[in-house]
Amino acid sequence: MTERPCAHDGIRVRRGSADGSGDPGGFRYFKSGDLAADATREFTYRHPYILELEITWACNLACPHCYVNAPLACPDELTLPEIREVLREARAAGMLELSLTGGEVCCRPDLMDVIAAGHEAGFPVRLVTNGTLVTPAIARAWRDAGILLVTVSLDGVDPAVHDAIRGPGSHAKTLAGLDALAAAGLQVSLIAAFSRINLDQIEGLWDFASARGFGLQVQMVSGKGRTPRDILLSPGEYHALGERVAAIFAAHPHRIVPMDDLVTPSNRHPLSLLHRTWQKRCTGGILNLFVRANGDVTPCSALALPENVVGNVRDPGGLRAILDEERCRENLAWCHARNLRGVCANCPHAGVCHGGCPDILLTVCRDRFENEYCHHRIETAEITAALLDPS
């Protein structure tokens, strides 16, 4: 079993097969600093790391790229007792962290009870919010409740850009929410989803986050929910965004976090640094597991798609059956180098890329087995075109 470098988020990756299958392309995942001999610290399809729990589809905004298609009524939203049972089963399975998301978490009337249930189950609790409903009183309540981290969506430092995405006046309200969170002493991270609307905002967002001591997570908008196709980045725009993120990442590798959709292989420095954060394959169902507001379970929140639903926590056996049967493994079995086609099939990076993030393959690419949003592919095409240019 070969030791792998410690990944960007503190997960240690080792070559090998946890299920004894002998898959030469298999990898195992441990929390950095834990002893590999301590099996409780290894994350598998039966024992994932982070539970992402969507507690509502209700929202006060109507962003064009929302994967939930919020605001949307969820008549069969999980009740507080059902949430408590999900949390109990998740802790029993060895899951270590809890992230509450929506919709907008502030739109759930019993949010504080849900937070308390998370702590009672033994989880450190994180929240994801658009920030517009966060008042000083709410921020203090979250602080007193022991919230570990609040992640706030901010898609532009330019109010006109942010408001074009999230609605008139939303930028000012989000900044007021951020001020309240900071004044309460809470740890804050920003998350920005990039489309053609806000592609020019990355440096400004980094400067804003850095000046306030916030972390910054960056991703591209994918084609889920009601997202209009005309706001999606082209492959060339994707590559340009990657280069700009990489320039910041090279200087501040622990303050800016590129999500998996941006970390395809590259032959160029510093863009090649982003690929070092890739966990050698999609780790949906291993490093995260997503439970939707209606109880549906998918490998992660990026895969909130009908074909990725592996069961419902209300089904017989509940969450435990979904984990014990390793349904996420089966659901993502197609994400493997052996299935790649076209340019990807002959790529030297195929064995550690496996096509990249399946969210992008399923919602943006024309073929789920050939990733057009790949830095290496784009760079190789540029070199080939230059060599064939008769001028």
Side-chain angles (χ1 to χ4, degrees), residues 157-362:
V157 289
D158 183 338
V161 173
H162 183 86
D163 287 1
I165 297 171
R166 297 190 175 264
S170 60
H171 185 267
K173 293 176 182 178
T174 297
L175 293 196
L178 286 169
D179 288 342
L181 293 168
L186 284 158
Q187 183 178 352
V188 176
S189 177
L190 304 179
I191 184 166
F194 287 93
S195 68
R196 287 179 170 169
I197 301 173
N198 64 334
L199 186 57
D200 65 344
Q201 296 290 295
I202 178 61
E203 289 83 6
L205 282 165
W206 166 249
D207 290 342
F208 177 89
S210 181
R212 288 159 180 76
F214 300 157
L216 176 61
Q217 301 175 51
V218 292
Q219 62 188 67
M220 65 179 281
V221 168
S222 67
K224 294 190 295 293
R226 58 167 170 257
T227 307
R229 303 298 294 185
D230 61 358
I231 73 168
L232 297 178
L233 300 180
S234 68
E237 290 165 333
Y238 163 83
H239 187 258
L241 174 63
E243 289 185 314
R244 293 159 69 183
V245 171
I248 301 169
F249 181 84
H252 307 279
H254 301 292
R255 295 284 306 284
I256 186 167
V257 180
M259 306 303 274
D260 282 354
D261 49 10
L262 283 177
V263 301
T264 50
S266 170
N267 303 313
R268 300 175 184 171
H269 182 83
L271 188 52
S272 59
L273 297 175
L274 299 188
H275 188 57
R276 296 185 185 181
T277 71
W278 175 246
Q279 305 286 3
K280 315 306 175 188
R281 60 171 170 172
C282 171
T283 53
I286 299 175
L287 297 185
N288 2 28
L289 187 76
F290 190 41
V291 176
R292 305 217 59 186
N294 66 352
D296 283 346
V297 179
T298 71
C300 81
S301 57
L303 291 172
L305 298 163
E307 76 167 75
N308 296 115
V309 174
V310 296
N312 191 288
V313 297
R314 291 173 170 138
D315 294 340
L319 182 62
R320 183 68 266 170
I322 291 170
L323 298 176
D324 284 348
E325 295 169 16
E326 297 190 337
R327 296 184 198 170
C328 288
R329 178 198 293 275
E330 180 181 356
N331 185 264
L332 295 173
W334 61 274
C335 301
H336 197 283
R338 63 175 171 264
N339 298 321
L340 295 177
R341 293 196 280 247
V343 173
C344 290
N346 299 310
C347 177
H349 299 287
V352 291
C353 170
H354 298 287
C357 178
D359 174 28
I360 303 306
L361 293 169
L362 291 172

Side-chain angles (χ1 to χ4, degrees), residues 49-73:
Y49 177 22
I50 298 173
L51 174 63
E52 296 178 281
L53 179 60
E54 181 186 72
I55 60 174
T56 186
W57 289 347
C59 188
N60 61 314
L61 303 181
C63 307
H65 62 275
C66 181
Y67 72 85
V68 180
N69 202 18
L72 183 69

